[in-house]
Amino acid sequence: MSERCHIFDMPDAEEACSQLDLEEVEDYGEEKYGHFLHVWDQGSRKLMRCRRCGAYVLVQRSVFLSFVNAPNSEYTDWFPVSGPEQADSLNRTYDGHQLERCFEGRYLRSTNGVPYWSDEEKA
């Protein structure tokens, strides 16, 4: 098994997103350790494993509910993790906002279906 999922080495975020082939390992839900595991009004975190390379990925999904005549917004972040222990440590330490700000390293993001890397400007 690879330590880091192959998608995180791809230069193009759209290509990386198209290569995602993940299976669920653990659903952490919406809230754990006294804080929310997402950013906006609804969401969750899951530990996933890549079917291609066997590496682990922590997925955080968030939904911003629009209370005006506009569509809701959906956000997904894919964080490379070494395994369940690192994922649980991140869950214990960070709520949704904190994880996005404090995660060390590059991760894949998507806003309303448009993928981009955490170290790039949003498309």
Side-chain angles (χ1 to χ4, degrees), residues 54-118:
Y56 290 96
V57 178
L58 183 63
V59 180
Q60 176 172 283
R61 289 196 166 90
S62 301
V63 177
F64 176 81
L65 299 175
S66 176
F67 294 103
V68 295
N69 199 10
N72 296 338
S73 294
E74 297 183 18
Y75 306 88
T76 306
D77 300 320
W78 295 269
F79 300 94
V81 294
S82 59
E85 296 81 16
Q86 184 185 16
D88 190 57
S89 176
L90 293 171
N91 289 338
R92 285 179 185 276
T93 306
Y94 301 116
D95 69 16
H97 288 285
Q98 294 166 333
L99 182 58
E100 287 182 347
R101 286 192 320 269
C102 299
F103 186 81
E104 293 184 19
R106 183 183 201 209
Y107 61 95
L108 184 60
R109 309 188 78 183
S110 174
T111 299
N112 294 325
V114 178
Y116 57 100
W117 291 110
S118 60

Side-chain angles (χ1 to χ4, degrees), residues 16-81:
C17 230
S18 74
Q19 295 294 317
L20 286 169
D21 186 12
L22 304 174
E23 62 183 344
E24 184 177 316
V25 175
E26 186 169 352
D27 185 345
Y28 300 114
E30 183 175 337
E31 185 178 357
K32 197 166 185 166
Y33 304 119
H35 53 251
F36 287 109
L37 301 177
H38 56 86
V39 176
W40 298 107
D41 302 308
Q42 297 175 341
S44 65
R45 274 192 208 152
K46 292 182 179 184
L47 179 62
M48 310 291 278
R49 184 180 297 124
C50 179
R51 287 185 178 99
R52 295 179 185 194
C53 67
Y56 290 96
V57 178
L58 183 63
V59 180
Q60 176 172 283
R61 289 196 166 90
S62 301
V63 177
F64 176 81
L65 299 175
S66 176
F67 294 103
V68 295
N69 199 10
N72 296 338
S73 294
E74 297 183 18
Y75 306 88
T76 306
D77 300 320
W78 295 269
F79 300 94
V81 294

